[in-house]
Amino acid sequence: MAVHEHAHRTAGLHLPSFRRGRAATAPGTAESALEGTHTVRARLLGSLRILMGFVFLWAFLDKTFGLGYATGSGKGWIDGGSPTKGFLSGVAAGPLESTFHSWAGAAWADRLFMLGLLGVGAALVAGIGLRLAAVAGTAMMALMWMAEWPPAQHLSDGAPSMSTNPFADHHLVYALVLIALAAASAGDTLGAGRRWAALPFVRDNGWLR
């Protein structure tokens, strides 16, 4: 009877002991996995932010210096070329067609466009002022979306527009990415976002973050 009771206790204590060990390590493992997931997510967002910034900065550099990609050599802004004339004068669809034609090549339009490219690109690469960058970048993308006007099946001269989608295009995707990066404070990883947010004038004005 005594032997039977001892054996019964041993068998009964083995499994609970194993479970207690698992219970003790589970929270730490879960926390470690959560922290690892958070780190990976933060680094991915930081990398996406930098790549997105390069998209804007490269457009600025190419249009300024005529690096031979979208802007031919000798046709850069510093050579007297207009960053907006070619694109806006080529608008051939949409309700704002005549408006964009009137803006094409205007000095104020060139300056605002280039300032937007430089400002948004620099903010994204540095990881600072992402809220302002998101607002400015989204406004630019919205105007460019309206200039290309994907809903049109035909251009104003009747030719097929060759639009691949009546609504979604890369301008809307870029705008959504900018908003997501600002909302996720993506400048805190692989950027100067934390130090920027700690500055007194930024702390007192949240819209500057």
Side-chain angles (χ1 to χ4, degrees), residues 5-48:
E5 183 178 354
H6 176 72
H8 176 73
R9 286 178 179 173
T10 302
L13 287 174
H14 179 69
L15 189 57
S17 175
F18 174 71
R19 287 177 178 172
R20 281 197 301 270
R22 288 183 62 184
T25 57
T29 303
E31 289 174 6
S32 177
L34 183 62
E35 183 179 350
T37 301
H38 177 74
T39 300
V40 170
R41 185 184 298 119
R43 288 178 179 172
L44 285 173
L45 286 172
S47 300
L48 177 61

Side-chain angles (χ1 to χ4, degrees), residues 1 20 28 32 34 38 55 58 60 83 86 97 119 121 138 142 150 162 176 203:
M1 180 67 180
R20 281 197 301 270
S32 177
L34 183 62
H38 177 74
V55 170
W58 177 258
F60 171 80
E97 180 179 349
T138 297
M162 304 303 289
L176 186 59
R203 245 188 353 253

Side-chain angles (χ1 to χ4, degrees), residues 1 7 26 32 49-50 53 109 111 113 122 157 193 199:
M1 180 67 180
S32 177
R49 188 200 79 242
I50 293 171
R111 292 193 189 100
F113 180 60
D157 62 359
L199 295 175

Side-chain angles (χ1 to χ4, degrees), residues 11-145:
L13 287 174
H14 179 69
L15 189 57
S17 175
F18 174 71
R19 287 177 178 172
R20 281 197 301 270
R22 288 183 62 184
T25 57
T29 303
E31 289 174 6
S32 177
L34 183 62
E35 183 179 350
T37 301
H38 177 74
T39 300
V40 170
R41 185 184 298 119
R43 288 178 179 172
L44 285 173
L45 286 172
S47 300
L48 177 61
R49 188 200 79 242
I50 293 171
L51 286 174
M52 194 71 206
F54 184 69
V55 170
F56 281 84
L57 280 183
W58 177 258
F60 171 80
L61 293 172
D62 185 51
K63 292 179 182 301
T64 298
F65 301 106
L67 299 179
Y69 287 83
T71 305
S73 179
K75 296 181 179 179
W77 197 22
I78 63 171
D79 300 310
S82 169
T84 63
K85 187 173 183 179
F87 177 67
L88 292 181
S89 62
V91 173
L96 298 179
E97 180 179 349
S98 59
T99 300
F100 286 127
H101 287 173
S102 68
W103 292 356
W108 65 266
D110 288 343
R111 292 193 189 100
L112 280 179
F113 180 60
M114 296 300 280
L115 180 62
L117 290 178
L118 177 60
V120 173
L124 288 171
V125 170
I128 63 175
L130 295 187
R131 293 180 181 179
L132 281 176
V135 172
T138 297
M140 292 177 66
M141 293 301 105
L143 287 170
M144 294 176 77
W145 183 87

